Amino acid sequence: LVLLAVASVSSSLDARVHVVVDDDDLSRRRQPGDDDVPLDGAVAHHAGAVTAFITAKQSHGMTRTIHGVLAAVVFVVGYAAAVSEERIGRGFKKSIPITLAAGAIWLLVALGYKDKGHAVEIVTGAARHNLTEFVEVFLFLLVAMAFVNTMKKLNVFDAIRAWLVESGFSYRACFWITGLIAFCLSPIADNLTTAALMGAVVSSLVGGGNGGATKEDREFVSTCCVNVVVAANAGGAFSPFGDLTTLMVWQRGKLGLIDFPKLFAPALVCWLVPAAAMHSKVRSGSPPKLAASASEPGGGDDDASGELKPGAFVVIGIFVGTVVTTACFHSYAHLPPVLGMMTGLAVLNLYGWWKGREETGAGGAVPGADRALDIFKRLEQTEWDTLIFFFGIISCVGGLGAFGFLREISDQLFGAYGANASCVYLGALSAVLDNVPIMFSVLSTDPEMSSAQWLLLTLTVGVGGSLLSVGSAAGVGLMGAAPGYTFNSHLRWSGVVFVGYVASIATHFVVNGF
């Protein structure tokens, strides 16, 4: 937020430029001649939702207009209200203020561009692409949550919990095991899916987040979720498939496949330092044995047992196949990852229908009953407040990008402080703003940087979102889905997470140089 204010106030007052836009300007997105190496179509579509339509000239000076200043103020107020969800209470949801702010910001974008004499179609195209970006994230989250809810209903996470308990693992051992799995799984399955899976496992250790969870239970889950978010974001930083920003850098040709493993040591330090600091605060003792009551409202008496229900292994196999399909769609076919996820959801739905057909034919299914493989019932259990909040964040950042805030921040940082310091600052900024438009703004300005500095930017923008719960898809995905994990509960550990952030940067300088 400070950087936003600096970018708005400290910019030199250049003469206003009136841009005449013709039909070719309106129809084109990014042409190969715009830059030395064009972004991949899917990445430009996903990450450059705003800047693909709004050029630097068209957004020139917009941050210093009354509309731009008001947009920044609206974002600050809406964001502050969203993170104050717990203090406001009385059923207040974080999605309410941030969604209102999103609508107000885009209205200001339209009014601001009209006032500057630009064609309205520019803003229309940018807004539609911003909505497309949200739809992709929305559907990705929806499918991930559907798989998690289905596996939860089939007792997959209770079975993992039972294994952890029967193996004699303590709460502290479970803290490290879930973090390690998140760190190792994230480079393959992306940080959002990894966090959702590990969050469900952690929640099952205290009964899956039912109303009987005690304050101590919630504190344990909250601490473990912070650990999972940090581990998932750190693990995704050293793989081109672990996060969209790493994929952008790879496809732009700034880093090769052999370069990303160089970030393994810094990423590992980024997770281990805060995890070691949190270790002593994790409750002692071991998780209790599984209760006989249901672990979620509406579930049967056997829902909390540690035995897998029929079809569990098939669903796990479909999920693994979905992850592989998504990676193939993304890497080889250059298609949006969400197409792979939706294909996996279709296969899961087909399997659920087939099993339901068998049960009905055998007389084992009761009409209207909540079958475990009734996928639309599982979709009903989605955390909708989180998804709408995600819409608000993406729309707000897109609107600020339309005003030119992100591009201006990038230009001024690299011009005033140099590459290394700017990479560190942008990483911290990604805790507030989405890391995708931040990375895209840097790639658009294309500053002169060495391979080590591109690695630094990839690291900081990838792990900087761990500083706040709303700074990454992994954190947002767990908010509301895990008992006790909120913005404020994550904020308690932001200090040690920041220490890990600094330690990872220092490790990078030692391993990869300046």
Side-chain angles (χ1 to χ4, degrees), residues 15 21 27 37 65 74 105 121 156-157 161 166 193 208 210 228 278 413 432 450 453 471 511:
V21 182
S27 61
V37 182
T65 64
V74 168
I105 288 174
E121 289 84 351
V156 172
F157 302 112
R161 175 187 185 275
E166 293 171 2
T193 306
N210 58 341
V228 165
M278 289 186 282
L413 277 178
V432 180
S450 65
Q453 289 168 336
V511 175

Side-chain angles (χ1 to χ4, degrees), residues 82-447:
V83 300
S84 302
E85 175 186 18
E86 287 183 280
R87 293 186 178 182
I88 298 175
R90 299 182 180 181
F92 185 79
K93 299 296 185 182
K94 59 183 177 292
S95 60
I96 298 174
I98 206 69
T99 306
L100 288 173
I105 288 174
W106 275 102
L107 178 61
L108 288 168
V109 171
L111 294 176
Y113 271 75
K114 184 177 181 181
D115 185 59
K116 292 275 283 185
H118 296 311
V120 179
E121 289 84 351
I122 301 173
V123 178
T124 303
R128 284 176 175 168
H129 273 261
N130 195 81
L131 288 172
T132 301
E133 180 184 2
F134 164 70
V135 168
E136 291 188 10
V137 177
F138 168 79
L139 293 177
F140 195 102
L141 269 171
L142 196 66
V143 175
M145 291 180 176
F147 270 103
V148 168
N149 290 335
T150 302
M151 287 189 284
K152 184 184 297 183
K153 192 71 175 178
L154 293 171
N155 289 348
V156 172
F157 302 112
D158 283 330
I160 297 175
R161 175 187 185 275
W163 172 76
L164 291 173
V165 172
E166 293 171 2
S167 300
F169 293 119
S170 63
Y171 279 114
R172 291 180 176 177
C174 294
F175 168 84
W176 284 101
I177 291 172
T178 52
L180 179 62
I181 295 175
F183 183 82
C184 296
L185 186 60
S186 182
I188 304 171
D190 79 73
N191 52 8
L192 173 60
T193 306
T194 299
L197 290 175
M198 290 300 100
V201 172
V202 169
S203 298
S204 70
L205 293 173
V206 295
N210 58 341
T214 64
K215 180 180 179 181
E216 194 175 18
D217 290 336
R218 292 178 177 273
E219 289 179 353
F220 168 73
V221 171
S222 172
T223 305
C224 283
C225 283
V226 175
N227 183 46
V228 165
V229 169
V230 174
N233 288 334
F238 65 89
S239 167
F241 310 110
D243 188 73
L244 186 57
T245 56
T246 59
L247 184 70
M248 291 165 64
V249 174
W250 174 48
Q251 290 189 328
R252 189 64 183 265
K254 299 301 181 182
L255 296 173
L257 282 174
I258 61 174
D259 293 321
F260 286 97
K262 298 176 183 178
L263 291 176
F264 175 79
L268 184 62
V269 170
C270 184
W271 166 53
L272 288 179
V273 170
M278 289 186 282
H279 172 81
S280 62
K281 299 298 182 180
V282 178
R283 65 193 292 187
S284 57
S286 300
K289 297 294 183 181
L290 286 166
S293 59
S295 63
E296 55 180 304
D301 292 337
D302 60 341
D303 278 355
S305 68
E307 296 183 1
L308 291 173
K309 290 185 177 180
F313 285 112
V314 176
V315 171
I316 294 173
I318 294 174
F319 175 73
V320 173
T322 300
V323 172
V324 174
T325 301
T326 301
C328 291
F329 270 50
H330 207 106
S331 305
Y332 300 108
H334 301 286
L335 294 171
V338 67
L339 290 178
M341 294 294 287
M342 291 300 294
T343 302
L345 179 65
V347 175
L348 179 64
N349 221 336
L350 179 63
Y351 177 68
W353 167 80
W354 183 263
K355 289 293 290 183
R357 178 173 170 272
E358 289 181 347
E359 293 174 0
T360 303
V366 179
D370 184 10
R371 296 186 300 107
L373 287 169
D374 187 342
I375 308 306
F376 288 102
K377 284 288 186 181
R378 306 289 76 81
L379 288 171
E380 290 176 7
Q381 298 168 345
T382 301
E383 181 59 35
W384 291 104
D385 178 51
T386 297
L387 294 177
I388 301 302
F389 174 79
F390 228 153
F391 161 77
I393 286 291
I394 290 177
S395 298
C396 284
V397 173
L400 294 177
F403 277 114
F405 278 107
L406 299 179
R407 187 186 298 271
E408 199 159 318
I409 290 173
S410 176
D411 287 341
Q412 292 199 18
L413 277 178
F414 282 93
Y417 300 106
N420 287 330
S422 298
C423 291
V424 175
Y425 293 148
L426 289 174
L429 184 63
S430 68
V432 180
L433 303 179
D434 184 36
N435 60 358
V436 170
I438 289 178
M439 179 62 81
F440 188 83
S441 66
V442 177
L443 289 171
S444 298
T445 55
D446 198 15

Side-chain angles (χ1 to χ4, degrees), residues 56-94:
K57 287 184 178 180
Q58 291 159 358
S59 62
H60 175 79
M62 293 294 292
T63 59
R64 299 181 291 277
T65 64
I66 183 62
H67 302 95
V69 173
L70 283 176
V73 172
V74 168
F75 175 69
V76 172
V77 173
Y79 193 89
V83 300
S84 302
E85 175 186 18
E86 287 183 280
R87 293 186 178 182
I88 298 175
R90 299 182 180 181
F92 185 79
K93 299 296 185 182
K94 59 183 177 292

